[in-house]
Amino acid sequence: MSGSTAASFTADDYRARMERAARTAAEAGLAGLLVAPGPDLVWLTGYTPPAVTERLTLLVLAAGQDPVLVVPALEAPDAQKAAGAPALALRDWTDGKDPYAATAALLDASGRFGISDNAWALHLLALQQALPGSSYTSLTEALPMLRAVKDTAELELMTAAGAAADATFEEIRDVPFAGRRESQVAADLDRLLRRHGHEQVDFTIVASGPNGANPHHEAGDRVIERGDMVVLDFGGLKDGYGSDTSRTVHVGEPTDEERRVHDIVREAQEAGFRAVRPGAACQDVDRAARAVIAGAGYGEYFIHRTGHGIGVTTHEPPYMIEGEERPLVPGMCFSVEPGIYLPGRFGVRIEDIVTVTEDGGRRLNTTSRELVIVE
């Protein structure tokens, strides 16, 4: 059972994040950042609106000016309770008033702004109409590394989330697999993740037999049989920070080929992990893992990137993929998850979340990467 509680980020923590975001935006040539409800707003202010509706809620950040949160008047009391509220000014608006005019007054009329990827088109188009000389770029495009480097408190939460996912795997090994539907095992994963402290479960992939060749298979009605390889990939948010781990198990004794393929993926995962060090390029992690699989003759069956960032969302920059030359920095957290997928037969994936340290990397998932036999 989970006995942990979320770290108490203070107003000063949120103030520092907002100042850094505004400064980084200015360094990128932007007039400011416009942050809609979603993970960026939570990370910057600690505020989650009671509901995401057509009413405009928008955080305005620009270097040299105080942060302002534009918020509907009926939700202002909730916003005032947010941990980051003392670090910003609230500007509320009432129904019947024009929130875009109020927001436009805070902005450089000819500026270029970074805006949340998940901002509603309704709001962006209205801002463009209010400020015809302004222009916009997505926050991920403009500042992809905004949340990538975690501080000490965030790393503690990431570590705890990984430990909860590991505890879930240790228990799922003991549930019956043969004769049960994938969806039933997925429900067990969901229950265990929540029991170990996850407030949100984002995915519980249970891909048995030929379904394992689909990396994003959704658990369905297929009955798991003896002789099946089963890919398990599960995670979500615990105390606001993400977990994501994959292990591949086998129902009963595997064949020599199944063992060999699993060993190749395990070696590839180890190679990817060993490539993690400050200054290495993201693509170096992908190259190291991919080289092992290609060298064993299975290169065409490794059909996705080696990893993705994780933090207050379970998928975010940086990405471990060919062409991503961004250097690794201590505090970055991302998955290392190579796989081999043999159409119509089976698949294997092994995944750990890894954080970059001063001299290498540290796994946040520590369960066995050997092929586990289940019943």
Side-chain angles (χ1 to χ4, degrees):
M1 298 291 290
S2 170
S4 65
T5 58
S8 297
F9 294 116
T10 66
D12 286 340
D13 294 325
Y14 291 113
R15 180 179 290 108
R17 290 177 184 179
M18 287 188 281
E19 289 175 352
R20 177 160 65 87
R23 184 173 61 251
T24 306
E27 292 168 354
L30 297 174
L33 302 179
L34 306 178
V35 186
D40 290 316
L41 185 64
V42 174
W43 184 77
L44 287 164
T45 69
Y47 177 53
T48 301
V52 179
T53 70
E54 72 285 353
R55 291 186 172 95
L56 178 71
T57 295
L58 201 67
L59 174 68
V60 178
L61 297 178
Q65 69 183 54
D66 292 336
V68 177
L69 182 64
V70 178
V71 62
L74 73 170
E75 295 174 4
D78 294 297
Q80 289 169 345
K81 296 175 185 175
L88 51 79
L90 285 179
R91 179 164 298 187
D92 61 12
W93 62 275
T94 57
D95 286 352
K97 302 294 184 180
D98 184 353
Y100 307 106
T103 304
L106 304 171
L107 306 179
D108 178 348
S110 59
R112 182 167 179 78
F113 298 90
I115 188 166
S116 300
D117 297 16
N118 57 335
W120 284 23
L122 169 74
H123 301 317
L124 176 56
L125 292 170
L127 282 173
Q128 287 178 316
Q129 186 173 10
L131 293 174
S134 63
S135 60
Y136 303 85
T137 182
S138 76
L139 206 53
T140 293
E141 181 71 22
L143 301 179
M145 296 294 106
L146 180 63
R147 305 192 314 255
V149 177
K150 277 63 178 175
D151 62 25
T152 300
E154 290 181 297
L155 287 173
E156 289 176 358
L157 291 171
M158 292 290 300
T159 300
D166 284 356
T168 295
F169 177 68
E170 294 294 357
E171 291 194 46
I172 203 69
R173 294 172 54 164
D174 295 328
V175 308
F177 278 73
R180 300 177 72 213
R181 299 184 188 280
E182 292 174 339
S183 57
Q184 293 175 298
V185 177
D188 288 338
L189 284 170
D190 186 293
R191 172 179 55 81
L192 290 169
L193 283 168
R194 294 182 189 280
R195 193 173 116 197
H196 288 289
H198 282 64
E199 70 272 9
Q200 176 178 314
V201 176
D202 287 348
F203 45 86
T204 52
I205 293 173
V206 179
S208 63
N211 288 340
N214 175 2
H216 281 174
H217 171 72
E218 291 192 11
D221 290 335
R222 184 181 186 276
V223 175
I224 301 170
E225 302 172 355
R226 290 193 66 80
D228 278 348
M229 195 81 93
V230 185
V231 178
L232 304 174
D233 184 348
F234 50 94
L237 300 182
K238 179 183 185 296
D239 296 333
Y241 281 77
S243 70
D244 185 1
T245 188
S246 300
R247 293 293 185 263
T248 302
V249 301
H250 197 277
V251 187
E253 283 300 315
T255 65
D256 289 344
E257 181 191 20
E258 288 170 331
R259 282 193 180 278
R260 183 172 68 253
V261 171
H262 190 277
D263 284 346
I264 293 166
V265 174
R266 181 169 52 80
E267 291 169 14
Q269 208 269 348
E270 177 68 19
F273 169 69
R274 291 190 178 281
V276 175
R277 63 184 184 282
C282 291
Q283 68 180 4
D284 293 342
V285 179
D286 183 82
R287 287 176 175 179
R290 201 167 299 276
V292 173
I293 292 175
Y298 288 92
E300 66 183 292
Y301 302 110
F302 180 10
I303 56 177
H304 57 72
R305 64 196 176 201
T306 293
H308 58 81
I310 186 171
V312 293
T313 58
T314 47
H315 280 216
E316 62 186 43
Y319 298 103
M320 307 301 112
I321 190 171
E322 181 66 30
E324 179 51 86
E325 298 179 351
R326 194 178 309 277
L328 301 180
V329 176
M332 282 183 175
C333 297
F334 50 84
S335 65
V336 179
E337 52 177 307
I340 292 175
Y341 308 94
L342 303 178
R345 302 185 62 207
F346 65 90
V348 175
R349 181 165 64 257
I350 301 172
E351 173 186 16
D352 294 326
I353 299 303
V354 173
T355 185
V356 184
T357 64
E358 294 297 331
D359 58 1
R362 175 170 66 92
R363 284 186 166 103
L364 303 189
N365 298 107
T366 59
T367 55
S368 173
R369 285 168 289 279
E370 301 290 335
L371 182 57
V372 169
I373 308 301
V374 296
E375 296 299 328

